[in-house]
Amino acid sequence: MDPHLLRTFVTVVHWRSFSAAAEELGYTQSAVSQQIAALEADLGLALLHRRPVRPTPAGERLLEHAGPLLLRHRAARADVLRAATGPIERLSVVASPLACTPAIARSLARERLAVTLRTAGRESVAEQIASGAADLGFVDGIAAPSDPLRLPDAGSPAGVGVAEEELVVVLPTGHPLSRRRGLALADLADALWLQAPAAVSVERLRELSGVGGFRVGFHYDGEDLRTVLNLAAAGHGLTLLPSSVTAGVPLSAPRVVHRVEMLHSPLAAGPAAAVAGRLG
């Protein structure tokens, strides 16, 4: 299948509109219609209902494969371009909100060159590395000691563990449990919790503890860690954070840690390879 036709198909499904897809892609509406017709002719199947615009059962199945296929196409293109251009002079790094540990920050500083670091969601980090949008990626999450993180199948290499540290329960100021030497997650199921990109989700808390509960007390859609800490201190909800980030009561059960993994495609000699070599 032609990846350009596949991209047009995905865009039409996303917008549920041929005209909106044409505007995003920079084509005419007629060109979009012709490309969808060409893709349907290639497969010998109708992929879209026209009024309203929505995928047929065959289109739904194709959509399941389209994302990974397009991502791998971009990754292959980026890999070929990297091999042709040789070592890079600038370093592009993408990290999930809590993945840039002090050790990683120090390692990046040692290169003494222009480093661009941007924050992204955990799934987006893997996708950006696979597509060549960044040279190095760092993702964080909660896992059993020495266990790998569960990363999305984005065509990127498996993560290499670079850091593990204790998790602490962040409580409101003056909370009666703040003097405890340790807290079990299952004992906190009735408490209100913060739901934020920089913090563990309530769904993951239920999975880790094996019990229900863990109600959301406050939704915060930003990634500013200071805001998360202020919300927790004010009593809007508990959260789990790495011990290097803030003070709190150590999580005693289950036995899990905050883990950071490094992602990268095959690297030529240069700053990205140097950083990866030091951390890996």
Side-chain angles (χ1 to χ4, degrees):
M1 285 178 289
D2 186 327
H4 298 292
L5 302 183
L6 196 58
R7 177 169 172 253
T8 299
F9 168 72
V10 170
T11 307
V12 171
V13 173
H14 173 76
W15 289 108
R16 294 292 199 269
S17 166
F18 280 71
S19 59
E23 183 175 352
E24 176 173 319
L25 296 170
Y27 300 145
T28 64
Q29 184 173 337
S30 175
V32 169
S33 296
Q34 291 173 13
Q35 290 181 36
I36 295 299
L39 184 60
E40 290 178 324
D42 179 34
L43 294 173
L45 294 166
L47 300 174
L48 290 172
H49 296 292
R50 265 50 175 186
R51 294 185 181 178
V53 176
R54 56 186 176 85
T56 64
E60 292 281 6
R61 180 51 84 64
L62 177 60
L63 199 61
E64 295 175 8
H65 297 282
L69 285 172
L70 290 173
L71 185 59
R72 284 177 171 81
H73 179 264
R74 295 197 301 273
R77 176 183 174 85
D79 186 53
V80 171
L81 290 174
R82 274 195 300 265
T85 55
I88 57 175
E89 296 181 356
R90 293 177 175 271
L91 188 60
S92 174
V93 182
V94 60
S96 53
L98 296 178
C100 190
T101 65
I104 292 172
R106 289 192 298 269
S107 186
L108 294 174
R110 286 180 58 182
E111 289 309 307
R112 301 186 183 280
L113 79 166
V115 178
T116 300
L117 172 64
R118 57 183 178 272
T119 303
R122 294 174 179 88
E123 291 190 5
S124 180
V125 171
E127 292 173 355
Q128 290 187 50
I129 294 302
S131 67
D135 305 308
L136 288 178
F138 297 95
V139 290
D140 73 291
I142 296 177
S146 300
D147 276 4
L149 297 178
R150 294 178 296 181
L151 299 176
D153 180 15
S156 60
V160 176
V162 294
E164 286 187 357
E165 62 178 307
E166 182 183 56
L167 285 159
V168 296
V169 182
V170 183
L171 300 162
T173 303
H175 195 283
L177 295 178
S178 60
R179 297 182 180 274
R180 297 279 288 273
R181 300 183 64 179
L183 289 170
L185 191 57
D187 294 336
L188 303 172
D190 292 333
L192 295 177
W193 289 77
L194 290 174
Q195 185 84 306
V200 61
S201 69
V202 294
E203 292 79 14
R204 184 72 170 127
L205 291 171
R206 294 174 188 133
E207 182 181 351
L208 290 169
S209 66
V211 300
F214 299 98
R215 295 168 295 152
V216 176
F218 198 100
H219 285 271
Y220 171 56
D221 291 333
E223 297 174 350
D224 179 64
L225 187 56
R226 183 182 294 274
T227 300
V228 172
L229 293 174
N230 287 341
L231 290 171
H236 290 291
L238 311 185
T239 189
L240 287 179
L241 289 174
S243 57
S244 64
V245 169
T246 185
V249 181
L251 182 69
S252 58
R255 189 166 175 265
V256 290
V257 294
H258 177 256
R259 179 177 171 89
V260 178
E261 294 185 359
M262 175 175 59
L263 304 176
H264 60 78
S265 297
L267 297 171
V275 173
R278 285 196 296 271
L279 292 173

